[in-house]
Amino acid sequence: MNTKSYILILLSGLLLISCGEWLDVLPKSEVDEKEMFETANGYQSSLTGIYINMGSAELYGANLTLTLTEPLGQQYSINENEPEREKWKNFDYTTKDAENNLLKVWSKMYNNIVNCNLLISHLREEERHLFETGGKEILLGEALGLRAYMYFDLVRMFNESRGVDPDSKKVPYKTDFGLNIGTSFKTDEILDFLLNDLTEARELLQNTDPITGKSFRNKYLNYDRNQRMNYYAICGLMARIYLYRGDYRKAYDNACMVINSGKFRFIEENEIIETDLYGNELKSDRLFMPELLFGLYTENIPEISRIRYEGLSYDFILSTNCYTSGDLRLNAWHAGNQLGKINLIKYKRSSNTGNSDKYTAPLAPMLKLGEMYLIACEAVLNEPSINDDARNILNTFKQHRKTTEIPLNATTTEIIHEITHEYICEFRGEGQLFWYYKRTNKNAVDNGNYLGTTIPIDPKYYTFPLPQYEIDFGTSRNN
């Protein structure tokens, strides 16, 4: 991508940043940047700004969870008064709304990646004693992890599926914060870069992250580690990426590091909803907090959910047929309304601020314990040298969801079918189902009724088109 197009990214990205966020891509002056990194608090504010930007509606606070990627999994009906959104659900990415939304995703993502690059660069060069022992390593590990998380999603969105075109290279990769955005690399080349960064991040966090037992005087470093890119979130992301590239042994090993850590557990049924004698909610945990490796704090997702998925006018779940009657997820995440339709209530919370103590923090689930079980199960099926039983792994997960287990004589084909079934059930409202379909190159997907009827999908629809200015001016012209 040349300088001209990168300036466009910077300008459009800056327009998307609210005045309440912490760090601009281009500091107003060299003095501003210098002042930002004069103190440990400045570094911490910079990292906080990256998290805030990730939780924006342009990214994981809406688009990359609920509003863009989620409908592509074909589990929802769309309001007939939103024809462009209906076209999007049917894989038509050429409408004006689609172009605008993809531009926002691309711009905000690169904007935030450059923020990461700036922070990482200063942390690597920082030789003063601004941090208590281990503090610098935590900030650097988190920043490397967040950058890898965003880059991997760019690869999933804009590069062709690895199984279709491993040479696809539409995503520019950049690790500095200058006006040259970098070079576009093939998918596996970018994945190598990301896994190298994540390996470094894992080493930085292994003996410093409070989630592994370390404690700091600085409250910022200790704060809610499952809402940060912590050590086990790094392992979980590595498992996700290794699975994507077909390195099943490493995917399994990283998933098991999370599973066997003892730091996460499946939620119990009585922890999900607590009511009084009249059925009024006193407490709820529909996000299944004990299972979250990394939940991104965002005030956007509850509001988007309330408007679009919990009312009577917009998107409704087509059916709950994929769930058995005792499945914990059935009543926790779904509710019928007076129109006879099904609302998604995964992010439901009262709009009355006085009721905030009834609910867990407003989070977007980014990495979860359930996914680690599904990754481990799939890895065992594909790597004969792994000494484990895919059936037992999957049934352990199903036991905790209180759903029907697979028989011990289930075939590989039947287990794969059940993995797909669990992706449909497990990731409602998270935008992950579509990426599972893409990774496994499904040419037909469930139509939302889970009655055996499918919708055909051409592999080309798994790849989003680049923004027009990137096509006109960027590195994609040479690909």
Side-chain angles (χ1 to χ4, degrees), residues 249-359:
R249 164 60 72 174
K250 291 182 179 178
Y252 173 84
D253 289 345
N254 279 277
C256 287
M257 288 178 71
V258 175
I259 292 170
N260 298 329
S261 69
K263 301 295 182 180
F264 310 92
R265 63 176 178 83
F266 287 105
I267 198 167
E268 298 292 338
E269 186 172 11
N270 61 5
E271 296 176 298
I272 299 173
I273 306 292
E274 180 183 338
T275 62
D276 62 18
L277 293 175
Y278 303 98
N280 300 310
E281 281 191 14
L282 299 176
K283 297 281 185 182
S284 75
D285 179 7
R286 293 186 174 90
L287 294 179
F288 298 3
M289 289 290 288
E291 305 180 12
L292 290 186
L293 282 59
F294 173 28
L296 178 67
Y297 185 93
T298 168
E299 296 284 357
N300 292 289
I301 204 164
E303 182 64 19
I304 295 295
S305 177
R306 184 182 302 116
I307 293 170
R308 180 157 289 282
Y309 291 92
E310 298 170 22
L312 301 174
S313 302
Y314 291 100
D315 296 1
F316 300 107
I317 293 172
L318 286 167
S319 84
T320 56
N321 292 331
C322 62
Y323 299 94
T324 57
S325 60
D327 196 313
L328 298 183
R329 299 164 293 192
L330 178 59
N331 293 326
W333 297 345
H334 309 85
N337 61 39
Q338 56 262 48
L339 298 180
K341 297 185 177 181
I342 305 169
N343 290 127
L344 174 73
I345 57 169
K346 192 172 200 171
Y347 302 101
K348 182 180 179 182
R349 56 197 300 120
S350 173
S351 58
N352 184 344
T353 55
N355 293 329
S356 61
D357 62 335
K358 295 182 179 180
Y359 307 98

